[in-house]
């Protein structure tokens, strides 16, 4: 199927699907996610999960469930809020860099950027609504626990997709190499406005001090 026949939905899903697959090629990214984000970041939640008295037939302690679900859903909402910024403010340069092999047209780059930004904002809204439902509207303990777990898993997925271009975690940044090393995959600015955005420019060869 040619690129021009792809719908906006297809372009967005292909972009996000690639972002979901790419991190598995980077062991450092995978270890950081499972050890730092999942294990360390939600250690307190796991501790509560283990200590909770699980009794599916006799019911749960309502207060313990309320506290557990609040902590679990709040952790998920915080993780989504911190991660989704990279999607909401994704730049066209980032889209072009990640889809360089696809040879998309101008309008397709814009479509991906716009769709990803809207999807990021939608994820934030859905997570916030879910947090409100869990902590104020849902009374059934089983449903409350289930929704809280789903929200946390959703937050993990958003973090995984959002941080693909994190310079410290990606292969393009050598943590033990010299500072200021240029990334060969970076696309140079093509317009004067992009050059201006990239930093200060000027010639100081004739600058003298007394």
């Amino acid at each position: 199927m040619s690129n021009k026949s792809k719908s906006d939905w297809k372009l967005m899903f292909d972009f996000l699907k690639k972002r979901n697959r790419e991190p598995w090629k980077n062991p450092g990214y995978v270890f950081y996610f499972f050890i730092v984000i999942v294990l360390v970041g939600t250690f307190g939640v796991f501790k509560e999960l283990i200590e909770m008295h699980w009794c599916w037939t006799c019911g749960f302690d309502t207060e313990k469930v309320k506290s557990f679900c609040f902590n679990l859903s709040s952790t998920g909402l915080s993780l989504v809020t911190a991660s989704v910024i990279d999607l909401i403010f994704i730049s066209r340069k980032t889209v072009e860099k990640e889809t360089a092999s696809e040879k998309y047209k101008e309008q397709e780059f814009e479509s991906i950027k716009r769709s990803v930004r809207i999807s990021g904002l939608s994820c934030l809204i859905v997570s916030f609504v879910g947090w409100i439902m869990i902590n104020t509207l849902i009374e059934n303990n089983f449903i409350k626990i289930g929704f809280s777990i789903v929200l946390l898993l959703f937050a993990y997925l958003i973090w995984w997709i959002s941080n693909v271009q994190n310079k410290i975690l990606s292969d393009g940044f050598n943590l033990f190499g010299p500072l200021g090393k240029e990334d060969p995959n970076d696309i140079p600015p093509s317009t004067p406005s992009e050059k201006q955005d990239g930093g200060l420019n000027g010639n100081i060869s004739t600058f003298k001090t007394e």
Side-chain angles (χ1 to χ4, degrees):
M1 183 171 61
S2 61
N3 287 337
K4 66 179 181 180
S5 64
K6 289 185 178 181
S7 66
D8 291 346
W9 284 100
K10 177 65 174 174
L11 290 170
M12 181 187 70
F13 283 130
D14 285 348
F15 180 82
L16 295 178
K17 183 169 64 175
K18 182 179 179 181
R19 273 198 161 207
N20 185 43
R21 291 197 311 258
E22 286 298 315
W24 292 105
K25 301 176 183 178
N26 185 350
Y29 190 93
V30 176
F31 282 121
Y32 184 90
F33 173 75
F34 284 105
I35 296 176
V36 178
I37 301 301
V38 177
L39 184 59
V40 178
T42 53
F43 177 78
V45 174
F46 290 140
K47 185 174 180 293
E48 281 192 70
L49 185 65
I50 295 173
E51 292 178 348
M52 181 176 288
H53 178 64
W54 294 95
C55 181
W56 300 100
T57 57
C58 60
F60 295 97
D61 185 328
T62 302
E63 289 303 317
K64 286 187 177 181
V65 170
K66 184 177 180 180
S67 174
F68 170 72
C69 291
F70 177 80
N71 292 333
L72 193 66
S73 60
S74 296
T75 300
L77 180 61
S78 300
L79 196 58
V80 170
T81 304
S83 303
V84 81
I85 300 300
D86 290 326
L87 296 180
I88 295 177
F89 295 103
I90 191 171
S91 65
R92 173 167 170 167
K93 181 179 179 181
T94 300
V95 174
E96 291 179 355
K97 177 181 176 181
E98 294 186 44
T99 58
S101 61
E102 300 293 338
K103 302 187 186 306
Y104 286 138
K105 297 180 180 179
E106 296 290 326
Q107 61 270 26
E108 290 172 322
F109 287 128
E110 287 297 325
S111 173
I112 295 173
K113 183 187 75 173
R114 182 174 58 254
S115 299
V116 171
R117 285 183 172 184
I118 294 175
S119 65
L121 182 60
S122 300
C123 289
L124 180 60
I125 295 173
V126 168
S127 299
F128 184 69
V129 172
W131 184 88
I132 293 176
M133 291 178 59
I134 291 168
N135 294 287
T136 62
L137 301 178
I138 300 176
E139 298 293 338
N140 186 286
N141 289 332
F142 296 101
I143 299 177
K144 188 187 289 283
I145 293 173
F147 270 65
S148 300
I149 294 174
V150 169
L151 179 56
L152 183 62
L153 294 177
F154 179 71
Y156 287 150
L157 176 62
I158 297 301
W159 188 95
W160 179 268
I161 294 176
S162 298
N163 286 276
V164 172
Q165 290 301 315
N166 188 303
K167 289 295 184 181
I168 296 178
L169 301 177
S170 64
D171 285 331
F173 184 85
N174 184 1
L175 188 60
F176 301 101
L179 293 176
K181 183 179 180 180
E182 182 179 358
D183 186 350
N185 295 320
D186 281 344
I187 300 176
S190 56
T191 63
S193 60
E194 291 181 354
K195 293 179 181 179
Q196 186 175 2
D197 292 338
L200 297 176
N201 296 293
N203 187 356
I204 62 172
S205 60
T206 60
F207 180 80
K208 297 180 180 181
T209 58
E210 297 298 336

